[in-house]
Amino acid sequence: MSKTAILIDNLTVQFDDVIAVDDLALEIQWGELFGLLGPNGAGKTTAINVLCTLLKPTKGGAAVDGFDVVEDKDKIRELIGLCPQEPAYYTFLTGRENIELYGEFHSVPRETIQDRTQEFIKKIGMEEHADRKAGEYSGGMIRRVSTVMALIHDPHVALLDEPTVAMDPVSRRAVWDFIRELKNNGKAIILTTHYMEEAEILCDRVGIIDEGKLIALGTPKELMEEHDAEDLEEVFIKLTGKKLRGEV
C-alpha cells in the first residue's frame, strides 16, 4: 500500500465555461474518514467522479493508493467501492440479489458473497426486507442496499456520496455504525453529506468546498473553534453564506 490512501493534486475539472473543481488539493490517509462538504453544485460529486475514474482531470491529477486516475483506471476500480448519489440497481431483483450480483461483478467467491451479504444486511437493519423486490423499496431502503453493494467486495477505499439521504433516524444510525466499522478496519473513506450533524459525529476531518474551491479544512472541533461556532452547520453557513439542501 502507498503511504497516502488518496492524493488530490491541484485538481481542476472544467466543463465548457464552468469550473466545477478549482485547484483542489487534499491528502487522505488510511483509516481516515474524511467529510467532503459543500452546497449543491460545489463540486463534490465531480471530485468523486474523478477519483473513481469516470471523469478525467482538466488540470492537475489524483491518485488512489499511488495509482493514477488516468493511467491506472483498471487497478483503481479494483480498489474502490462507490456508493453514487444516484443509486444503480435492478428493480426486478430483491435487495439480496442486487448485492450478490455486485459481488459477482467483482469476482468475489460465491460462498464469501453469501456470507458477507447476510452479515451486511443484518448490520444495516434490512433483514425483514432483503428478499423483497428492490422496486418496492423506499428511498431510504435503496440507499442502505446501495451502500452494501458498494462495499460487498471489501474495497480498500470507499467513496460514499450522500449515502444516508432519505433515511429515517434509526436507519441512518445503523449506517453510521457500519461506516465507523469500515474506518476502524483501516479503510480510507470519503463521505459527502448535507447532514452537518452526520459529518460532525463521524468525520476525522472535513473539507468544505464552494464553487469548486476548498475554503476550509480541519477537524470539526478545529473548525468550530476557529469560526466561533456552536456546531458544524454554523461553520458551514458562515463560510458559504448558504443553508443546507433545498435552500442553497
Side-chain angles (χ1 to χ4, degrees):
M1 279 189 178
S2 172
K3 182 178 179 181
T4 299
I6 299 170
L7 175 65
I8 301 175
D9 185 16
N10 301 110
L11 175 67
T12 296
V13 181
Q14 184 169 351
F15 304 105
D16 297 325
D17 296 331
V18 177
I19 298 177
V21 176
D22 191 355
D23 200 31
L24 180 64
L26 286 170
E27 286 190 30
I28 298 165
Q29 308 303 321
W30 297 110
E32 181 174 17
L33 204 169
F34 186 88
L36 188 60
L37 313 179
N40 290 335
K44 305 182 299 295
T45 297
T46 299
I48 284 179
N49 284 342
V50 170
L51 291 175
C52 67
T53 76
L54 294 177
L55 283 176
K56 286 186 177 180
T58 304
K59 297 179 183 177
V64 178
D65 194 13
F67 295 99
D68 184 84
V69 294
V70 175
E71 301 297 328
D72 305 308
K73 287 184 179 181
D74 290 342
K75 183 61 179 178
I76 287 176
R77 289 172 183 175
E78 293 175 8
L79 293 171
I80 65 171
L82 171 67
C83 179
Q85 194 173 89
E86 297 297 330
Y89 62 99
Y90 295 99
T91 58
F92 57 87
L93 297 180
T94 67
R96 185 188 304 276
E97 288 168 343
N98 270 286
I99 295 166
E100 291 181 347
L101 181 61
Y102 267 67
E104 291 176 4
F105 287 164
H106 288 281
S107 300
V108 180
R110 183 65 184 168
E111 185 176 346
T112 301
I113 291 174
Q114 292 176 337
D115 291 346
R116 196 175 287 164
T117 297
Q118 184 58 34
E119 176 189 354
F120 287 0
I121 283 171
K122 183 176 181 180
K123 286 180 178 178
I124 62 169
M126 284 286 291
E127 297 109 308
E128 294 183 14
H129 309 287
D131 297 306
R132 287 171 51 194
K133 292 287 191 292
E136 302 172 2
Y137 284 174
S138 67
M141 289 178 183
I142 288 297
R143 298 304 299 181
R144 280 187 277 171
V145 168
S146 295
T147 301
V148 171
M149 289 164 65
L151 302 169
I152 191 62
H153 59 299
D154 193 29
H156 293 175
V157 173
L159 306 174
L160 308 179
D161 198 357
E162 299 190 37
T164 62
V165 168
M167 287 187 194
D168 62 82
V170 173
S171 299
R172 183 175 294 126
R173 288 185 179 274
V175 172
W176 288 1
D177 289 341
F178 190 40
I179 293 171
R180 284 193 187 100
E181 186 174 336
L182 294 176
K183 168 188 148 49
N184 292 337
N185 288 335
K187 312 292 187 187
I189 305 166
I190 292 182
L191 170 74
T192 78
T193 180
H194 281 86
Y195 301 117
M196 295 298 109
E197 178 196 15
E198 181 169 279
E200 190 174 324
I201 289 171
L202 289 179
C203 295
D204 300 302
R205 288 189 303 152
V206 299
I208 299 176
I209 63 174
D210 195 14
E211 297 181 354
K213 287 184 173 292
L214 182 68
I215 60 174
L217 178 66
T219 68
K221 182 179 179 181
E222 287 170 347
L223 294 181
M224 287 186 284
E225 290 176 351
E226 180 181 349
H227 297 281
D228 191 27
E230 291 186 0
D231 53 33
L232 200 54
E233 182 172 349
E234 187 177 348
V235 173
F236 184 91
I237 293 171
K238 282 185 174 183
L239 289 174
T240 67
K242 300 167 185 174
K243 294 186 179 180
L244 304 181
R245 170 182 289 276
E247 301 180 85
V248 300

